[in-house]
């Protein structure tokens, strides 16, 4: 069944305004029509690669089908969420990286900004926490504010072998056991269909309620599968709306034409920016709700594109460093650098057409013109004006910038935004001719941690780290 009416869906369509990367506005610092035309062959190839490989688990492109293939899973998630909302005071996600950044971003985007502080009768669901670190102080702080017996823990790990997540699991499982709580009642796993340690633990405990992180979906592309859908549903977020938004964006991106396909155009712009030495990609949402979309995007962009080998095995060192900022807050911190510093950045603004609140600014201080002019406007007008003003100032200074506008922030537009960024990443990776979907650099760090903590099978690596990589005292100042 279609989600809402076609008129409503079209009124919620995201827009990409890339005027401020063109030579029309940036002169010789911008891209000309000719340069866009020269990208056509590369863009065609990237479009074809993504289209031909959609849904292929072996290439980790299963995420393209998530908007369409989860009807039964969504029904099951909604039933579980109803039960979690009625039974528990807290819902805690234990996970890291791709298993945490999506739930954090969606919580911030679609829930009250002080959700946990709201009265329970207003919240209607449990308090929500995502523990994506192994800082012992943070773990203690969490345990100071929750009663584990009244908490549902969603352990999310595709591999079930991530030291951070499994450490958190061990601590919580021990606490529950000591409190005489049946772990099966208070835990839900989200993991691989069959492989991995969480499946082993579940079997040992007689079957823990588990959701599948599908084979062809990597961590950073997993927000629209149970990794993100279960926490969102527990928070009362309209997960069907998120999936409908993703499907809507998928359709908008079905044309092999960068002028009509927004994700392909964004990929082309980012690729041209990288080619012209813009090694830093700033994402600057003008909305506190979108603040952690930047964290989610940073992982997607960095882990997917930061690679040292092309698909045909040639050495390369590609990628673009994502920088997370917030408008207007960072106008008073970083924009000076963006405007006058090195020409090594492209800025993507996330703008909001209509904020959920307007906050009229009362008249006052009319005898002080510097303050009085604000009265009679709204905070919405102010933030939108500052967004436009920053784009104007950057453009005047010859800085590449473009704007993605969400008509408003809701489940449907957020679904569109996630899918837009996922497709943009897939297209850009294809243009760079790299494997967008692996993360050997992350695995290397995981293995070195195993070695340091004495995991069986890693003694050679431990010796290497104790030997050639042992710190030389002469380079330590203390
Ligand atoms: O995107 C990725 O693949 C990584 O960030 C993983 O999500 C992260 O390392 C956690 O891995 P796992 O889900 O296996 O615990």
């Amino acid at each position: 069944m279609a989600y809402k009416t076609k008129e409503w869906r079209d009124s919620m369509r995201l827009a990409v305004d890339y005027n401020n990367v063109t030579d029309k506005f940036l002169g010789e610092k911008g891209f000309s029509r000719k340069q866009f035309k020269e990208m056509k062959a590369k863009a065609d190839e990237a479009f074809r690669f993504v289209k031909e490989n959609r849904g292929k688990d072996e290439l980790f492109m299963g995420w393209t089908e998530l908007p369409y293939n989860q009807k039964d899973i969504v029904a099951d998630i909604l039933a579980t969420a109803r039960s979690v909302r009625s039974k528990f005071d807290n819902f805690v996600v234990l996970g890291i990286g791709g298993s945490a950044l999506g739930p954090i971003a969606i919580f911030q985007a679609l829930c009250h900004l002080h959700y946990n502080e709201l009265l329970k009768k207003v919240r209607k669901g449990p308090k929500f926490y995502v523990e994506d670190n192994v800082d012992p102080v943070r773990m203690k702080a969490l345990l100071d504010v929750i009663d584990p017996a009244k908490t549902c823990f969603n352990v999310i790990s595709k591999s079930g072998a991530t030291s951070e997540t499994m450490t958190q699991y061990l601590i919580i499982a021990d606490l529950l056991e000591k409190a005489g709580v049946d772990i099966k009642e208070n835990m839900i796993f989200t993991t691989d269909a069959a492989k991995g340690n969480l499946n082993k633990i579940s079997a040992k405990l007689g079957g823990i309620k588990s959701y599948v992180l599908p084979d062809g979906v990597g961590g950073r592309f997993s927000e629209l599968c149970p990794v993100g859908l279960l926490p969102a549903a527990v928070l009362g977020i309209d997960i069907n709306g998120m999936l409908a938004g993703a499907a809507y964006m998928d359709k908008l991106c079905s044309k092999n034409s960068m002028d009509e396909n927004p994700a392909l155009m964004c990929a082309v712009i980012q690729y041209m920016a990288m080619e012209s030495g813009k090694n830093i990609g700033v994402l600057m949402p003008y909305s506190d709700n979108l603040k952690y979309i930047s964290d989610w995007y940073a992982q997607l962009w960095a882990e997917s594109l930061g690679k040292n080998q092309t698909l045909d095995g040639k050495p390369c060192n590609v990628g673009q460093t994502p920088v997370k900022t917030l408008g207007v807050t960072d106008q008073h911190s970083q924009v000076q650098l963006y405007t006058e510093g090195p020409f090594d950045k492209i800025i993507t603004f996330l703008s909001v057409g209509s904020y959920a609140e307007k906050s009229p600014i009362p008249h006052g201080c009319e005898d002080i013109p510097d303050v009085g002019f604000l009265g009679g406007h709204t905070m919405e007008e102010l933030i939108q004006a500052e967004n436009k003003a920053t784009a104007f100032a950057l453009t005047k200074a010859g800085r590449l910038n473009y704007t993605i506008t969400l008509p408003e922030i809701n489940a449907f537009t957020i679904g569109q935004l996630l899918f837009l960024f996922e497709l943009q990443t897939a297209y850009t990776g294809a243009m760079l001719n790299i494997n967008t979907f692996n993360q050997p650099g992350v695995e290397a760090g995981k293995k070195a941690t195993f070695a340091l903590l004495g995991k069986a099978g890693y003694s050679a690596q431990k010796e290497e780290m104790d030997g050639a990589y042992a710190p030389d005292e002469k380079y330590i100042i203390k």
Side-chain angles (χ1 to χ4, degrees), residues 60 94-101 156-166 190-191 198 213 217-222 227 299-300 303-304 437-439 442-443 446:
F60 274 92
L94 305 179
I96 197 162
S99 299
L101 291 164
I156 308 180
S157 176
K158 191 174 175 75
S159 63
T162 304
S163 302
E164 295 87 345
T165 307
M166 297 320 291
T190 306
T191 190
L198 287 178
L213 207 169
V217 179
R220 57 192 177 274
F221 286 84
S222 69
V227 167
Q299 186 209 14
L300 181 73
E303 262 186 30
S304 299
F437 305 104
N438 66 0
Q439 55 284 325
V442 179
E443 307 303 334
K446 284 188 182 183

Side-chain angles (χ1 to χ4, degrees), residues 6 8-16 47 54 67-68 243-266 404-407 412-413 415-421 423-424 427:
K6 182 173 179 325
W8 185 88
R9 293 195 303 271
D10 290 345
S11 73
M12 289 296 142
R13 176 177 172 161
L14 265 54
V16 178
F47 178 85
R54 287 183 66 102
Y68 313 105
L243 292 169
Y248 184 83
M249 179 53 68
D250 192 26
K251 184 134 187 270
L252 290 181
C253 298
S254 59
K255 292 206 178 108
N256 183 10
S257 150
M258 61 177 119
D259 293 323
E260 292 172 278
N261 176 335
L264 193 57
M265 177 51 87
C266 291
I404 301 171
T405 302
L406 288 75
F412 186 77
T413 55
Q416 285 185 63
L417 185 64
L418 298 183
F419 213 74
L420 171 75
F421 280 146
L423 278 173
Q424 171 194 313
Y427 289 140

Side-chain angles (χ1 to χ4, degrees), residues 299-327:
Q299 186 209 14
L300 181 73
W301 198 240
E303 262 186 30
S304 299
L305 303 186
K307 298 289 154 68
N308 67 6
Q309 203 178 320
T310 63
L311 279 176
D312 33 354
K314 298 202 182 82
C316 68
N317 292 104
V318 295
Q320 187 194 51
T321 304
V323 170
K324 313 173 273 189
T325 54
L326 179 66

